[in-house]
Amino acid sequence: MASRPRISVLHFTEADDTSGFFPQLGKWHDRGRYRMLLGTLKPMAPWLRAFMEGEGIGCASCGARTRAGYPLAMLRLMRFLRRERVDILHTHLFEPSAVGLLAGVLAGTPARVMTRHYSNYHTRIDKRWHVRVDQLCNRMSQAIIAVSRHTADHIVHEEGAPRDKVHVVLNGI
C-alpha cells in the first residue's frame, strides 16, 4: 500500500507569538501527515524562528517593516508558496490575512483558510475600509475559522460570508 504524501501547510501570521500557539503546533502536529511551515508578514521574532527551526519547521519572513513594504512582501510570499508547493495557506490576524490570502490567490495555492481572532472590532470603531478588507478576505478564503460563536455570527450576519464557509473552533490554548 502506497503511503499518502504529506500535506504542506503554511501558517502565516504577523511577526511574533505571544500566545504560544505556533510553538505548540510546531511541537505537537502530526508530522506523518503534515509538513508544517511558518511565515510572517513582518520580520520574524528571532526566538520564534529558533524554536520553530529547532522543531524542524521551515520558516520564512516576508520582512515588511511598514505597510509600504506589503507589496514586496506579497511577492516574496507568492514565490515561497510556489517554491514550497504549499497545499494549504492558513492565515492569522488582519494584515497577514489581507496580504497572505491575496498572495495565495495569485500563486494558485489550492486551499486558503483564515482564522478570525476578532469579531466586530472594525465595525465598532467605524473602520469601513477595514470592514471591506475583512469582507475581501472572507471571499478569498475557502474556509474561515471563527474563534467564537459571536465571531462566526458577525462574519455571517454583518460581513455577508456564507454560513457553510464559517467554522467555529474555540481556542484550545
Side-chain angles (χ1 to χ4, degrees):
M1 181 171 162
S3 65
R4 292 185 298 186
R6 291 191 313 161
I7 298 168
S8 181
V9 181
L10 171 65
H11 288 274
F12 190 68
T13 191
E14 188 99 1
D16 205 338
D17 180 10
T18 58
S19 71
F21 176 74
F22 295 110
Q24 291 297 315
L25 194 59
K27 185 174 181 110
W28 299 108
H29 74 282
D30 183 346
R31 294 168 193 275
R33 292 184 61 198
Y34 301 99
R35 175 177 161 248
M36 181 178 163
L37 303 162
L38 179 68
T40 59
L41 176 60
K42 298 177 180 177
M44 188 178 293
W47 73 266
L48 182 58
R49 179 183 291 276
F51 181 87
M52 297 303 274
E53 288 178 346
E55 290 294 324
I57 309 301
C59 294
S61 174
C62 293
R65 296 189 182 278
T66 66
R67 287 182 176 165
Y70 287 2
L72 181 57
M74 185 182 65
L75 291 173
R76 287 179 178 144
L77 181 57
M78 286 171 51
R79 284 196 306 263
F80 184 79
L81 291 165
R82 288 178 181 148
R83 182 178 68 243
E84 295 298 322
R85 296 187 177 132
V86 171
D87 300 304
I88 302 170
L89 170 63
H90 186 165
T91 66
H92 303 264
L93 307 173
F94 177 69
E95 291 177 352
S97 290
V99 173
L101 291 167
L102 185 55
V105 168
L106 295 173
T109 304
R112 297 174 306 279
V113 178
M114 171 180 63
T115 293
R116 279 286 292 271
H117 296 270
Y118 57 91
S119 58
N120 62 350
Y121 179 69
H122 294 141
T123 305
R124 282 187 296 111
I125 62 172
D126 200 30
K127 294 284 189 176
R128 290 187 183 109
W129 177 245
H130 289 76
V131 172
R132 286 189 178 100
V133 172
D134 283 335
Q135 291 170 323
L136 176 62
C137 288
N138 295 342
R139 285 191 298 276
M140 289 189 292
S141 300
Q142 289 143 327
I144 303 165
I145 297 172
V147 299
S148 70
R149 171 58 47 206
H150 174 76
T151 301
D153 290 344
H154 178 81
I155 293 168
V156 170
H157 299 298
E158 302 299 323
E159 296 176 10
R163 169 68 68 192
D164 63 343
K165 187 188 250 193
V166 182
H167 310 275
V168 176
V169 178
L170 302 176
N171 281 328
I173 56 171

